[in-house]
Amino acid sequence: MSEANDKVPAGTPAGTPPAAASRPEAIKAIPVRHYGRWISAILVLAVLGLLVNAFANANVNYGAIPDFLFDSTVLKGLRNTVVITVVSMALGLGLGIVLAVMRLSKNPVTSSVAWGYIWFFRGTPVYVQLLIWFNLALIFPVINLGFYKDEMNQFMTPFMAALLGLGLNEAAYMSEIVRAGIQSVDEGQTEASHALGMTQGQNLRRVVLPQAMRVIVPPTGNEFINMLKTSSLAAQAAQYAELLRSTTDIGNTTGATVEMLFLAAVWYLVLTSVFSVGQYYLERRYARGTTRNLPPTPWQRIKQNLGTFRRPEVAR
Amino acid sequence: MTDFSKGTGAHPMVKAEAVHKHFGLAHILKGIDLEVAPREVFCLIGPSGSGKSTFLRCINHLEKISGGRLSVDGELVGYRQKGDKLYELKDREVAAKRRDIGMVFQRFNLFPHMTAIENVIEAPVRVKKEAKAVARERALALLDRVGLRDKAGHYPAQLSGGQQQRVAIARALAMEPKLMLFDEPTSALDPELVGDVLDVMRGLAEDGMTMIVVTHEMGFAREVGDALVFMDDGVVVETGHPRDVLTDPQHDRTKAFLSKVL
Ligand SMILES: Nc1ncnc2c1ncn2[C@@H]1O[C@H](COP(=O)(O)OP(=O)(O)O)[C@@H](O)[C@H]1O
Ligand SMILES: [Mg+2]
């Protein structure tokens, strides 16, 4: 009851001033009734009911989904999806940082190279890029990098084509994210580190990038989740055996085409949900030193909210 | 206590001869001549926009001068002289020279993602490749010197402005500089926090540190300063002992400025 004052509805006159400071009189007021909420909730439930009914009566063999949920082919596809997402993002982030630094460089040659790269890779569909990488052997039968020489067909495996197609495209987007992050850091930071005798590279690694991370991490998490889903393009374009490819294959052999697409959707939802949680904790980590107190984790928040449910209602 | 007087002692710590600085078309420094002796506390005063910060930043080559000669402890800033030719220094060489010059900023510029002690050991460990354990010991001693040993584990956001500025001083001292540049170190502080920072600076002066201090604290200049320069519009208007300049200014511009700040 000690928090009675906090619960006064806005705009309600407080009535008589509390007689005793320790025990203000509880307020008697009729709360606003939210009829709109009730109506919209009923509408939503009705639509949901129709949808469930439609799908329940549709020609779908739902039993097939749990049967194949942990099928070894599906799990292998799942693993490959995670692998290609992680390596493509790693390539995208690494190259993205390099491109961002080049873009911000005072040297006009470096900055225009970065600009041209971003222009090309952002300006063409990633699906087209994947197809080009995968079919590169048609125009370059042999790859010769000086230190490495091979038949292009040997080199450009589905994995390689997927990695280059997804990773190089991602680098263009990541570089813009990293650039925004670097530019968000106060110039005084660079001045201070230079005044201490730190080199450009040390300043970037130790001072600027760690602070830029606070701006970089949230959109990078989105990019990661996008990549989990975009990697499904490599199923067709690069014949890479990721999740969608393995579920489609099962669908084709068993005839349960749509069921297997549902199964893929379930796994994509699981993956994106798991990585969203990871993203949350990463953001907390890079908030270090920027706020006096870190915000509570979801778990801590749940415990707090349980507390508020038990708190007595006052305005009634 | 520690003796901070370093450098060769054979040259002036800083010598500026007709130093000019342009930003594009703007002429900011218009021929600065001055000399700072080793162990000297050299105060720089003048109205806002007169080029004080720019001059300080030229001394550790955060800005490049556009004309004249500027040397620190007998060595040209930003150039190497061979015969009568000047060669520009590479970024790496410039960085190496800055190690010997500490700088303290008006807005502290502590690294917010590092604790106080991490701020202090960063440059010794990364730049001088000092062992972490050794650097920590020295850092604790320095934090002790500025009265903040118990705040070693705090992040800058958890410290008051005055505490942050004292950590910033400890951070600069950790590189064992032969010269300290202070750019209005107390201007961003609440009045009651100014004293602690000035006390630390006074202690440094007593231990023989060569310091160039841009300040509006005339009391500090008068008590601690050995020399004082009044700058206005990119030129040195008046030089002398702080007591003389502050009590008996010779130039009208100095008089006008002092009548506003005193
Ligand atoms: N990087 C810069 N580019 C252009 N003009 C600058 C730059 N830095 C400083 N200035 C200008 O130089 C003048 C002197 O600035 P400053 O040295 O900061 O003065 P003070 O520290 O005496 O107040 C100001 O007019 C300022 O606008
Ligand atoms: Mg200034």
Side-chain angles (χ1 to χ4, degrees), chain A residues 186 188-189 191-200 202 206-207 210-211 288-290 292, chain B residues 57 60 95 98 101 105 107 109-114 122-123 126-127 129 155 157 171 175:
Chain A
D186 180 24
Q189 294 290 305
E191 248 173 37
S193 68
H194 281 167
L196 286 164
M198 294 171 83
T199 60
Q200 293 277 9
Q202 287 171 328
R206 299 287 308 168
V207 176
Q211 293 182 61
R288 254 185 342 183
T290 55
R292 277 157 203 256
Chain B
R57 293 157 51 81
N60 66 355
R98 289 196 186 114
I101 305 172
F105 303 87
R107 289 185 309 122
N109 295 352
L110 286 180
F111 304 135
H113 56 303
M114 299 181 192
E122 180 64 16
R126 304 285 152 184
V127 178
K129 315 290 178 202
Y155 284 100
R171 176 176 71 172
M175 289 301 280

Side-chain angles (χ1 to χ4, degrees), chain B residues 23 26 28 46-55 57 63 183-184 214:
Chain B
F23 283 114
I28 304 300
S48 171
S50 55
K52 307 179 298 292
S53 300
T54 305
F55 180 66
R57 293 157 51 81
E63 300 288 357
D183 192 357
E184 302 197 28
V214 175

Side-chain angles (χ1 to χ4, degrees), chain A residues 13-53:
Chain A
T16 49
S22 59
R23 187 79 191 260
E25 201 181 322
I27 288 173
K28 296 188 185 72
I30 297 155
V32 178
R33 304 232 190 267
H34 299 281
Y35 298 108
R37 289 185 195 171
W38 286 102
I39 294 169
S40 52
I42 290 166
L43 277 176
V44 168
L45 281 177
V47 171
L48 265 181
L50 287 174
L51 272 174
V52 167
N53 187 45

